[in-house]
Amino acid sequence: MILIKEVKTKKDERLFLSFPYKLYKGNRYYVPALYSEEKKIFKKNYFYNETSKSIFLLAYKDKKVVGRIQGIISYASNDKWNQKRVRFTRFDSINDKEVAFNLFDYLTKWAKDNDMNEINGPLGYSDLEREGLLIRGFNYLNTYEEQYNYPYYQELIESYGFKKEVDWYENRIFKPVPQDKKIDKLIELVKKKYKLRVLKNLTKKELLNKYGMEIFSLFDQAYSELYQTVPLTKSQMKAIIDNFSIMLRPELMRIIVDEEDKIAAVGFCLPSISDALKGGSGKLSNPITLIKVLKSVYKPKVLDFALIGLSEKYQSSGIAAVIFKELFDFMDGDYDYCETNLTLENNHNIRNCWKRFDHFEHKIRRCYIKKIDD
């Protein structure tokens, strides 16, 4: 018999957070979220609670935790897209349909009680969280920014009646392919025409204090039409900036500003900490793990491509080529490769950009949808 229980106590919270670490213990492709960061989702003043509400569920079998799931009603997303959806995220389960189905049944009832008519996911509070179910690429190390899952998850979810809504692709990219010198000349003409400057070698403090809010406002605007993106409040942006600051390396970031010192384009990578964390418990209390993480941050051999965005004012100006040229320059450094994270299947402009590199598409992630009456 399967028992579904809502997370109510501190003990429940610990069980919810620790379950995936136990489920994936020893898996060499699994990269855990940091335990200290995950704990924040249970705080009443968690910054995403400003525009959403959640439910956290545990599944028990023979008095042991065998599954978990989080449901999110993002009022900001539903208002933007004119939907009545519950998102599911942090879904983990043993390979047992009864466990998965009971979790989704309970979540469905909660959705109905809140007057929702669809469930979709895996999706977090926003597109800056882990999203998508891995359906190809199980034998590659996961990036820290995305979630690993066992292959059987697809069968559990689809057997319940979920259907594909969209796929994302991920690439592993190596050194840039040598470019035609004419492209460099065109890039210089664009920079001259719009009186652009490339900001390099800022300190982290200078970068965040002067440009932090403007950068994330730009990303909010640039990504606004992409699948299920959520508008962020100023307080949410500030909290996200604080989170990013831990991993941010200014030398892996390029900001292009115009003559008024307004951001025209920005792009950055993060040092990969996947190898340092893989197969572990997501806790930095182990000195060996902490040393590995610090080494990965300050002397990275692998990069994770984070974000790139253009100001609406410059969308059709050719500035995209400028920012990519700048990113090419530092990606040609002493790194083994770079992981691109998620690119929507219909985002052909960005997918075509990876052709400028020695690369291959190695992972696919899927987001599902299910009408509650199905």
Side-chain angles (χ1 to χ4, degrees):
M1 180 180 175
I2 307 300
L3 172 67
I4 305 298
K5 180 181 177 182
E6 291 187 36
V7 172
K8 297 290 187 183
T9 67
K10 292 294 182 183
K11 180 181 178 181
D12 293 339
E13 292 174 7
R14 290 193 296 271
L15 290 170
F16 185 93
L17 296 174
S18 63
F19 175 68
Y21 305 142
K22 295 177 181 178
L23 187 66
Y24 292 97
K25 185 177 180 179
N27 186 301
R28 60 179 176 164
Y29 306 115
Y30 168 71
V31 178
L34 288 174
Y35 190 89
S36 58
E37 289 300 307
E38 285 289 276
K39 278 174 59 177
K40 295 177 182 179
I41 63 177
F42 292 113
K43 290 185 176 181
K44 290 184 179 180
N45 64 346
Y46 186 52
F47 59 89
Y48 278 122
N49 290 343
E50 185 180 344
T51 55
S52 64
K53 67 184 287 188
S54 294
I55 188 171
F56 302 90
L57 304 174
L58 288 168
Y60 289 82
K61 185 176 183 179
D62 299 327
K63 299 182 179 181
K64 293 182 179 180
V65 176
V66 289
R68 69 167 194 169
I69 198 169
Q70 178 187 0
I72 300 171
I73 298 176
S74 172
Y75 297 110
S77 176
N78 283 342
D79 288 346
K80 174 182 176 178
W81 299 103
N82 192 28
Q83 296 167 337
K84 299 174 73 175
R85 290 185 171 186
V86 165
R87 298 172 170 216
F88 76 86
T89 185
R90 294 176 172 87
F91 167 70
D92 289 291
S93 173
I94 63 171
N95 190 5
D96 187 327
K97 288 183 180 179
E98 187 181 9
V99 173
F101 286 14
N102 273 271
L103 284 168
F104 284 122
D105 282 347
Y106 200 107
L107 185 61
T108 298
K109 182 181 183 304
W110 183 73
K112 286 182 177 179
D113 290 344
N114 283 275
D115 196 32
M116 299 291 109
N117 58 28
E118 292 178 312
I119 300 177
N120 81 306
L123 283 175
Y125 293 97
S126 78
D127 53 302
L128 295 176
E129 282 220 315
R130 297 178 171 199
E131 56 190 359
L133 187 83
L134 188 65
I135 63 169
R136 190 184 79 185
F138 301 100
N139 58 335
Y140 291 98
L141 181 63
N142 209 58
T143 61
Y144 173 74
E145 295 81 12
E146 301 302 337
Q147 180 65 43
Y148 185 82
N149 58 263
Y150 288 121
Y152 65 77
Y153 278 38
Q154 184 175 0
E155 173 66 16
L156 295 181
I157 290 172
E158 293 180 1
S159 293
Y160 191 74
F162 282 95
K163 306 295 182 184
K164 171 194 168 179
E165 186 161 56
V166 73
D167 281 351
W168 291 275
Y169 288 80
E170 295 180 53
N171 290 260
R172 178 169 291 183
I173 60 177
F174 300 90
K175 303 299 181 183
V177 174
Q179 300 294 300
D180 190 327
K181 293 299 181 183
K182 292 180 181 179
I183 295 178
D184 289 344
K185 292 181 179 179
L186 288 173
I187 287 172
E188 290 305 313
L189 287 173
V190 170
K191 289 166 69 175
K192 186 175 181 180
K193 177 181 179 181
Y194 294 104
K195 299 179 181 179
L196 302 175
R197 292 181 296 119
V198 181
L199 302 183
K200 301 178 183 179
N201 303 318
L202 295 174
T203 67
K204 186 183 292 189
K205 186 176 180 180
E206 288 173 331
L207 194 157
L208 294 175
N209 288 351
K210 186 172 183 179
Y211 295 104
M213 290 296 288
E214 188 180 351
I215 288 170
F216 277 88
S217 294
L218 183 148
F219 286 135
D220 208 29
Q221 164 260 307
Y223 289 20
S224 63
E225 297 306 311
L226 296 183
Y227 174 77
Q228 293 297 299
T229 51
V230 179
L232 300 173
T233 67
K234 287 186 178 180
S235 59
Q236 288 170 347
M237 285 185 192
K238 185 179 183 304
I240 291 168
I241 289 168
D242 289 342
N243 288 343
F244 265 101
S245 68
I246 300 170
M247 294 285 294
L248 188 63
R249 297 293 306 278
E251 65 270 27
L252 300 179
M253 189 168 197
R254 293 293 184 270
I255 300 175
I256 298 175
V257 297
D258 60 22
E259 60 182 329
E260 297 177 350
D261 205 32
K262 298 293 184 182
I263 296 178
V266 62
F268 67 97
C269 291
L270 295 171
S272 173
I273 58 173
S274 294
D275 194 60
L277 292 175
K278 66 180 180 182
S281 63
K283 295 181 180 180
L284 298 181
S285 53
N286 183 328
I288 295 176
T289 302
L290 179 59
I291 291 170
K292 286 182 178 179
V293 169
L294 292 174
K295 183 178 179 180
S296 296
V297 170
Y298 291 102
K299 292 185 177 180
K301 298 301 292 181
V302 177
L303 301 178
D304 291 345
F305 194 90
L307 297 167
I308 185 169
L310 305 180
S311 168
E312 190 173 15
K313 179 180 177 181
Y314 296 102
Q315 286 291 332
S316 302
S317 64
I319 290 181
V322 181
I323 191 67
F324 267 100
K325 171 63 166 60
E326 291 297 325
L327 294 175
F328 292 167
D329 286 348
F330 75 71
M331 286 183 194
D332 201 22
D334 188 26
Y335 307 110
D336 293 338
Y337 59 87
C338 178
E339 295 279 347
T340 66
N341 282 311
L342 307 186
T343 304
L344 282 165
E345 59 186 341
N346 59 357
N347 193 343
H348 300 295
N349 287 337
I350 295 298
R351 291 181 69 188
N352 286 334
C353 284
W354 307 134
K355 294 179 181 178
R356 302 182 189 185
F357 295 85
D358 177 13
H359 79 291
F360 62 95
E361 284 185 338
H362 61 316
K363 297 176 189 171
I364 301 176
R365 296 182 186 275
R366 179 163 294 173
C367 193
Y368 291 91
I369 184 73
K370 184 180 186 298
K371 293 190 179 298
I372 286 178
D373 291 336
D374 286 359

